[in-house]
Amino acid sequence: DVDGQLELVERFRKHLLNHFDGDAGIAFNALDINLDGRISFQEIMSSFDKFSIPECDKVGPFDLRRVFHALDTDNSGYLSCDELMAAPFPELEGKLASKKKQKPKPMDTRQSLENACPTNTVERFR
Protein backbone atom coordinates (compact mmCIF):
# COMPACT_ATOMS: atom_id res chain seq x y z
CA ASP A 1 0.00 0.00 0.00
CA VAL A 2 1.24 3.48 -0.91
CA ASP A 3 0.78 4.99 2.55
CA GLY A 4 2.81 2.19 4.12
CA GLN A 5 5.64 2.68 1.64
CA LEU A 6 5.66 6.44 2.21
CA GLU A 7 5.87 5.83 5.95
CA LEU A 8 8.73 3.38 5.39
CA VAL A 9 10.59 5.96 3.25
CA GLU A 10 10.15 8.65 5.89
CA ARG A 11 11.38 6.31 8.64
CA PHE A 12 14.37 5.32 6.49
CA ARG A 13 15.33 8.94 5.80
CA LYS A 14 15.11 9.83 9.50
CA HIS A 15 17.15 6.74 10.35
CA LEU A 16 19.95 7.78 7.98
CA LEU A 17 19.89 11.37 9.23
CA ASN A 18 20.10 10.17 12.82
CA HIS A 19 23.08 7.99 11.97
CA PHE A 20 24.89 10.85 10.18
CA ASP A 21 24.20 13.60 12.73
CA GLY A 22 21.32 15.14 10.78
CA ASP A 23 23.39 16.03 7.71
CA ALA A 24 21.92 14.78 4.42
CA GLY A 25 25.06 15.71 2.47
CA ILE A 26 27.32 13.70 4.76
CA ALA A 27 24.90 10.76 4.59
CA PHE A 28 24.81 10.82 0.79
CA ASN A 29 28.59 11.16 0.44
CA ALA A 30 29.15 8.30 2.88
CA LEU A 31 26.79 6.01 0.95
CA ASP A 32 28.26 6.99 -2.45
CA ILE A 33 31.20 4.63 -2.10
CA ASN A 34 32.55 5.02 -5.65
CA LEU A 35 31.99 8.81 -5.62
CA ASP A 36 30.08 8.88 -8.91
CA GLY A 37 27.33 11.14 -7.56
CA ARG A 38 24.71 8.42 -7.38
CA ILE A 39 24.03 5.45 -5.11
CA SER A 40 23.40 1.91 -6.29
CA PHE A 41 21.61 -0.72 -4.23
CA GLN A 42 24.93 -2.50 -3.76
CA GLU A 43 26.41 0.71 -2.33
CA ILE A 44 23.51 0.96 0.14
CA MET A 45 24.15 -2.62 1.27
CA SER A 46 27.91 -2.11 1.53
CA SER A 47 27.49 1.18 3.38
CA PHE A 48 25.15 -0.33 5.95
CA ASP A 49 27.87 -2.91 6.65
CA LYS A 50 30.78 -0.43 6.51
CA PHE A 51 29.20 2.13 8.85
CA SER A 52 27.40 -0.42 11.06
CA ILE A 53 24.05 1.16 10.28
CA PRO A 54 21.31 -0.98 11.82
CA GLU A 55 18.76 -2.28 9.32
CA CYS A 56 15.96 -1.44 11.71
CA ASP A 57 14.73 1.37 13.90
CA LYS A 58 12.55 1.33 17.00
CA VAL A 59 9.48 0.65 14.80
CA GLY A 60 10.95 -2.38 13.04
CA PRO A 61 13.21 -3.62 10.23
CA PHE A 62 13.72 -1.93 6.88
CA ASP A 63 13.21 -3.79 3.64
CA LEU A 64 16.18 -2.12 1.95
CA ARG A 65 15.29 -3.33 -1.52
CA ARG A 66 11.73 -2.02 -1.17
CA VAL A 67 12.96 1.33 0.18
CA PHE A 68 15.53 1.63 -2.60
CA HIS A 69 12.98 1.02 -5.35
CA ALA A 70 10.49 3.41 -3.75
CA LEU A 71 13.13 6.16 -3.62
CA ASP A 72 14.34 5.58 -7.19
CA THR A 73 11.70 7.90 -8.66
CA ASP A 74 13.26 8.02 -12.14
CA ASN A 75 13.72 4.23 -12.31
CA SER A 76 17.40 4.64 -13.16
CA GLY A 77 18.58 1.94 -10.77
CA TYR A 78 20.47 4.60 -8.80
CA LEU A 79 19.59 7.21 -6.20
CA SER A 80 20.51 10.86 -6.46
CA CYS A 81 20.89 12.94 -3.31
CA ASP A 82 17.45 14.44 -3.96
CA GLU A 83 15.86 11.01 -4.36
CA LEU A 84 17.54 9.71 -1.22
CA MET A 85 16.76 12.60 1.07
CA ALA A 86 14.39 15.10 -0.50
CA ALA A 87 12.10 13.71 -3.20
CA PRO A 88 8.69 15.19 -2.44
CA PHE A 89 5.95 12.82 -1.36
CA PRO A 90 3.65 13.63 -4.33
CA GLU A 91 6.42 12.43 -6.66
CA LEU A 92 6.91 9.27 -4.61
CA GLU A 93 3.16 8.67 -4.38
CA GLY A 94 2.84 8.91 -8.16
CA LYS A 95 5.67 6.49 -8.69
CA LEU A 96 4.39 4.00 -6.14
CA ALA A 97 0.87 4.13 -7.55
CA SER A 98 2.15 3.55 -11.10
CA LYS A 99 4.35 0.64 -9.95
CA LYS A 100 1.25 -1.24 -8.87
CA LYS A 101 0.20 -1.26 -12.52
CA GLN A 102 3.62 -2.24 -13.91
CA LYS A 103 5.37 -5.57 -13.93
CA PRO A 104 8.66 -5.57 -12.01
CA LYS A 105 11.80 -4.96 -14.05
CA PRO A 106 13.98 -8.03 -14.56
CA MET A 107 17.30 -8.01 -12.77
CA ASP A 108 20.27 -6.79 -14.78
CA THR A 109 21.77 -10.03 -16.05
CA ARG A 110 25.19 -8.42 -16.32
CA GLN A 111 25.50 -8.60 -12.54
CA SER A 112 27.11 -11.71 -11.23
CA LEU A 113 25.10 -13.82 -8.82
CA GLU A 114 27.71 -13.05 -6.19
CA ASN A 115 27.01 -9.32 -6.45
CA ALA A 116 23.26 -9.84 -6.58
CA CYS A 117 23.03 -11.85 -3.37
CA PRO A 118 23.03 -9.96 -0.07
CA THR A 119 25.64 -10.96 2.46
CA ASN A 120 24.29 -9.33 5.62
CA THR A 121 22.70 -11.50 8.26
CA VAL A 122 19.70 -9.17 8.51
CA GLU A 123 17.93 -9.48 5.20
CA ARG A 124 17.09 -7.05 2.69
CA PHE A 125 13.80 -8.91 2.07
CA ARG A 126 13.88 -9.89 -1.55
Side-chain angles (χ1 to χ4, degrees):
D1 98 48
V2 173
D3 289 336
Q5 288 193 21
L6 292 174
E7 180 184 325
L8 182 66
V9 164
E10 186 63 22
R11 282 181 40 225
F12 181 78
R13 286 175 170 170
K14 286 179 182 177
H15 185 66
L16 282 180
L17 286 173
N18 286 338
H19 192 79
F20 291 101
D21 297 324
D23 191 316
I26 289 174
F28 182 83
N29 290 333
L31 298 177
D32 184 16
I33 293 172
N34 65 5
L35 304 174
D36 66 353
R38 60 190 189 166
I39 299 171
S40 68
F41 182 70
Q42 189 63 39
E43 285 175 301
I44 292 270
M45 306 246 302
S46 297
S47 296
F48 267 64
D49 291 338
K50 179 179 178 180
F51 296 106
S52 300
I53 303 170
E55 292 186 32
C56 62
D57 63 5
K58 61 186 174 190
V59 176
F62 293 107
D63 176 342
L64 294 180
R65 189 171 302 279
R66 182 176 169 202
V67 171
F68 183 87
H69 288 296
L71 289 169
D72 183 15
T73 56
D74 64 0
N75 295 316
S76 66
Y78 297 93
L79 301 180
S80 67
C81 188
D82 284 343
E83 286 175 317
L84 181 65
M85 293 301 201
F89 280 121
E91 188 176 328
L92 289 172
E93 285 175 339
K95 179 190 179 201
L96 294 172
S98 72
K99 277 198 166 208
K100 284 185 174 182
K101 299 174 189 174
Q102 298 174 358
K103 292 182 179 179
K105 285 185 174 182
M107 189 168 144
D108 184 351
T109 55
R110 293 173 291 176
Q111 291 181 337
S112 71
L113 289 177
E114 179 180 297
N115 289 337
C117 296
T119 57
N120 251 5
T121 55
V122 177
E123 169 33 61
R124 289 82 157 116
F125 306 98
R126 295 176 172 242

